[in-house]
Amino acid sequence: MNILDGKATSIALQEEIAAEVTKVIAAGGKRPHLTAVLIGMDPASRAYVGHKVKACAKAGFESSTIERGKEISQTELLEIVRTLNNDKSVDGFIVQLPLPDHIDATAVIEAIDPRKDVDGFHPLNVGNMSLGLPTFLPATPSGIMTLLKRHGIVTEGMHAVIIGRSDIVGNPMSVLLSRNSEPGNCTVTQCHSRTVDLKSHTLKADILIAAIGKPHFITSDMVKEGAIVIDVGINRISDSTRKSGSRLTGDVDFDNVAQKCSWITPVPGGVGPMTIASLLENTLQASLQNTDGIS
Ligand code: NAP
């Protein structure tokens, strides 16, 4: 079994991005600027945004965070989006999901200028991705593609089974892996909560991608010998051995599944860091595209 090391790969990628930023600045260009909009006090969202801000600083980006309480109105949030759309100093921004129930997340995403939509969630960018046109790819699936590529894994002809059909992970992942590209050229099966006899599908997977949100859901009896297993899940479970009383774990029963795999991502240290590196890639791309004379 080999580890798909997201932490090391993302550090390498972030160093490359930082070197590119240094070159842009030396040529008189603009420092990329990412803004995160954080609504409410959800600790997981706060932690994700914290990681993104830290990564920006390391890569030489400017970053800013706009924080509002969960009682913010839809109108107020749309006004923040409009202001960021018009703010020339901001190259890209994200509105951290999930949003409070009274906010229409689709309306908020649709209000983002697609040229600044570095999460790649705007319908225009989703459409471009589906058509294989240049766009901002959603950070998590894009990070997984980079992880496969940088570990020299050739996916052509493989049967990929993806569990999950969210707009941010499962759906774009199935589009990217079925593309005529490398990584890509997979035959993709996409499963979800209504799939009958899930195990019959997972056992056929050369690449198994779990994006479910249920700790240790994928057990070793569901995995084919020699499979590549990508664990997207981030779940907090209680752990009395930790000072905090809890720890993060994935959707895969790592200890048992790892013994059967050719490659596997750990949690933490797998997909998570790659997501952040991909967001930085998108922001750099936005900055280069939105700045006259530098490309
Ligand atoms: P989501 O929107 O809740 O989607 C979960 C998917 O799992 C749904 O499509 C659901 O099916 C499916 N599912 C649930 N129970 C199932 C079952 N028993 N059998 C088969 N399928 C089942 O979640 P998400 O946003 O895609 O995120 C998934 C996980 O990845 C979460 O743990 C999240 O925290 C994590 N995540 C990690 C990163 C990262 O950077 N590492 C990024 C994003 C998300 P239905 O559609 O039928 O409900």
Side-chain angles (χ1 to χ4, degrees):
M1 176 274 297
N2 300 291
I3 292 287
L4 278 163
D5 189 341
K7 192 170 175 198
T9 309
S10 92
I11 289 171
L13 200 55
Q14 288 179 47
E15 284 171 0
E16 289 164 28
I17 293 169
E20 181 69 22
V21 171
T22 305
K23 266 204 291 195
V24 169
I25 305 291
K30 177 183 175 304
R31 193 173 289 284
H33 181 179
L34 174 72
T35 296
V37 180
L38 180 57
I39 306 299
M41 298 297 285
D42 176 48
S45 295
R46 188 166 288 273
Y48 297 146
V49 168
H51 291 317
K52 288 166 188 173
V53 167
K54 231 189 253 170
C56 278
K58 275 198 191 148
F61 288 20
E62 209 180 306
S63 71
S64 47
T65 307
I66 297 175
E67 290 189 47
R68 295 288 185 275
K70 66 177 185 327
E71 63 289 343
I72 189 171
S73 71
Q74 171 99 3
T75 312
E76 284 169 310
L77 182 51
L78 288 173
E79 182 54 29
I80 291 173
V81 169
R82 201 185 61 78
T83 304
L84 290 170
N85 284 342
N86 293 327
D87 184 342
K88 282 197 162 46
S89 77
V90 173
D91 298 297
F93 65 97
I94 58 166
V95 180
Q96 184 68 40
L97 302 175
L99 291 168
D101 289 345
H102 67 278
I103 303 277
D104 177 354
T106 304
V108 173
I109 290 167
E110 284 178 356
I112 297 173
D113 183 333
R115 292 167 300 182
K116 294 191 176 190
D117 168 40
V118 287
D119 259 340
F121 294 164
H122 189 282
L124 189 85
N125 288 326
V126 175
N128 283 338
M129 175 195 64
S130 303
L131 295 169
L133 298 172
T135 189
F136 299 118
L137 296 177
T140 300
S142 173
I144 292 170
M145 297 295 274
T146 306
L147 196 58
L148 290 168
K149 192 174 192 146
R150 295 220 169 185
H151 284 78
I153 293 171
V154 177
T155 63
E156 181 171 326
M158 286 188 178
H159 184 184
V161 175
I162 297 160
I163 313 176
R165 55 177 165 183
S166 69
D167 291 335
I168 64 171
V169 189
N171 285 345
M173 196 70 248
S174 80
V175 170
L176 296 182
L177 279 176
S178 54
R179 267 185 182 179
N180 183 359
S181 64
E182 189 54 59
N185 282 320
C186 290
T187 303
V188 173
T189 299
Q190 198 174 3
C191 302
H192 44 74
S193 69
R194 314 294 165 89
T195 298
V196 175
D197 194 4
L198 184 68
K199 188 172 158 181
S200 70
H201 296 285
T202 60
L203 278 173
K204 290 189 194 126
D206 301 311
I207 304 181
L208 180 61
I209 302 198
I212 310 162
K214 296 193 170 161
H216 301 171
F217 183 89
I218 301 294
T219 46
S220 65
D221 58 313
M222 299 171 79
V223 178
K224 183 166 91 172
E225 201 71 48
I228 299 164
V229 175
I230 311 277
D231 190 352
V232 184
I234 302 179
N235 309 288
R236 187 161 288 283
I237 57 168
S238 52
D239 181 346
S240 57
T241 68
R242 300 288 173 99
K243 217 168 154 188
S244 62
S246 68
R247 69 183 161 93
L248 294 179
T249 193
D251 289 346
V252 175
D253 175 12
F254 182 91
D255 290 341
N256 295 310
V257 170
Q259 295 169 27
K260 285 184 100 175
C261 301
S262 56
W263 294 91
I264 188 166
T265 57
V267 177
V271 175
M274 291 306 298
T275 297
I276 293 181
S278 298
L279 178 68
L280 296 185
E281 272 185 321
N282 281 350
T283 306
L284 177 60
Q285 185 189 326
S287 174
L288 296 176
Q289 282 169 1
N290 298 340
T291 309
D292 290 341
I294 296 171
S295 62

Coordinates of all heavy atoms in Angstrom, one line a residue, residues 24 27-30 88 91 115 285-295:
V24 N 5.6 37.4 -10.8 CA 4.6 38.4 -11.2 C 4.9 39.8 -10.6 O 4.9 40.8 -11.2 CB 3.2 37.9 -10.9 CG1 2.2 39.0 -11.0 CG2 2.8 36.7 -11.7
A27 N 7.8 41.5 -12.0 CA 7.5 42.1 -13.3 C 6.6 43.3 -13.2 O 6.0 43.8 -14.2 CB 6.9 41.0 -14.2
G28 N 6.3 43.7 -12.0 CA 5.4 44.9 -11.7 C 3.9 44.6 -11.7 O 3.1 45.4 -11.8
G29 N 3.6 43.3 -11.5 CA 2.2 42.8 -11.5 C 1.6 42.9 -10.1 O 2.3 43.4 -9.2
K30 N 0.4 42.5 -10.0 CA -0.4 42.6 -8.8 C -0.3 41.4 -8.0 O -0.3 40.2 -8.5 CB -1.8 42.9 -9.2 CG -2.8 43.0 -8.1 CD -4.2 43.1 -8.6 CE -5.2 43.1 -7.5 NZ -5.2 42.0 -6.7
K88 N -11.9 46.1 -7.4 CA -10.8 45.8 -8.3 C -9.6 45.2 -7.5 O -8.8 44.5 -8.1 CB -10.3 47.0 -9.0 CG -11.2 47.4 -10.2 CD -10.5 48.3 -11.1 CE -11.1 48.4 -12.5 NZ -12.6 48.6 -12.5
D91 N -9.2 39.7 -6.4 CA -9.2 38.9 -7.6 C -10.2 37.8 -7.6 O -10.7 37.4 -8.7 CB -7.8 38.3 -7.8 CG -6.7 39.4 -8.0 OD1 -6.8 40.1 -8.9 OD2 -5.9 39.5 -7.1
R115 N -15.9 35.6 -13.1 CA -14.5 35.8 -13.3 C -13.8 35.8 -11.9 O -12.6 35.7 -11.8 CB -14.2 37.1 -14.0 CG -14.6 37.1 -15.4 CD -14.7 38.5 -16.0 NE -15.6 39.3 -15.3 CZ -15.8 40.6 -15.6 NH1 -15.2 41.2 -16.6 NH2 -16.7 41.3 -14.9
Q285 N -4.8 32.2 -11.1 CA -5.3 32.3 -12.4 C -6.3 33.5 -12.6 O -6.2 34.2 -13.6 CB -6.1 31.0 -12.7 CG -6.6 30.8 -14.1 CD -7.6 29.6 -14.2 OE1 -7.4 28.6 -13.6 NE2 -8.6 29.7 -15.1
A286 N -7.1 33.7 -11.6 CA -8.1 34.8 -11.7 C -7.3 36.1 -11.7 O -7.6 37.1 -12.4 CB -9.0 34.8 -10.4
S287 N -6.2 36.2 -10.8 CA -5.4 37.4 -10.8 C -4.7 37.7 -12.1 O -4.7 38.8 -12.6 CB -4.4 37.2 -9.6 OG -3.6 38.3 -9.6
L288 N -4.2 36.7 -12.7 CA -3.5 36.9 -14.0 C -4.5 37.2 -15.1 O -4.2 38.1 -15.9 CB -2.8 35.6 -14.4 CG -1.6 35.2 -13.4 CD1 -1.0 33.8 -13.9 CD2 -0.5 36.2 -13.4
Q289 N -5.7 36.6 -15.1 CA -6.7 36.9 -16.1 C -7.3 38.3 -15.9 O -7.6 39.0 -16.9 CB -7.8 35.9 -16.0 CG -7.5 34.6 -16.6 CD -8.5 33.5 -16.3 OE1 -9.5 33.8 -15.7 NE2 -8.3 32.4 -16.8
N290 N -7.4 38.8 -14.7 CA -8.1 40.0 -14.4 C -7.2 41.2 -14.4 O -7.6 42.4 -14.3 CB -8.8 40.0 -13.1 CG -9.9 38.9 -13.1 OD1 -10.3 38.5 -14.1 ND2 -10.3 38.5 -11.9
T291 N -5.8 41.0 -14.6 CA -4.9 42.1 -14.6 C -4.4 42.3 -16.0 O -3.9 41.5 -16.6 CB -3.6 41.7 -13.7 OG1 -4.1 41.2 -12.5 CG2 -2.7 42.9 -13.5
D292 N -4.7 43.6 -16.4 CA -4.3 43.9 -17.8 C -2.8 43.8 -18.0 O -2.0 44.1 -17.1 CB -4.6 45.4 -18.1 CG -6.1 45.6 -18.2 OD1 -6.8 44.5 -18.4 OD2 -6.6 46.7 -18.0
G293 N -2.4 43.2 -19.1 CA -1.0 43.2 -19.5 C -0.2 42.1 -18.9 O 1.0 41.9 -19.3
I294 N -0.7 41.3 -17.9 CA 0.1 40.2 -17.4 C -0.7 38.9 -17.6 O -1.9 38.9 -17.1 CB 0.4 40.5 -15.9 CG1 1.3 41.7 -15.7 CG2 1.1 39.3 -15.3 CD1 1.4 42.2 -14.3
S295 N -0.1 38.0 -18.2 CA -0.9 36.7 -18.4 C 0.1 35.5 -18.3 O 1.3 35.7 -18.3 CB -1.6 36.7 -19.7 OG -0.7 36.8 -20.7

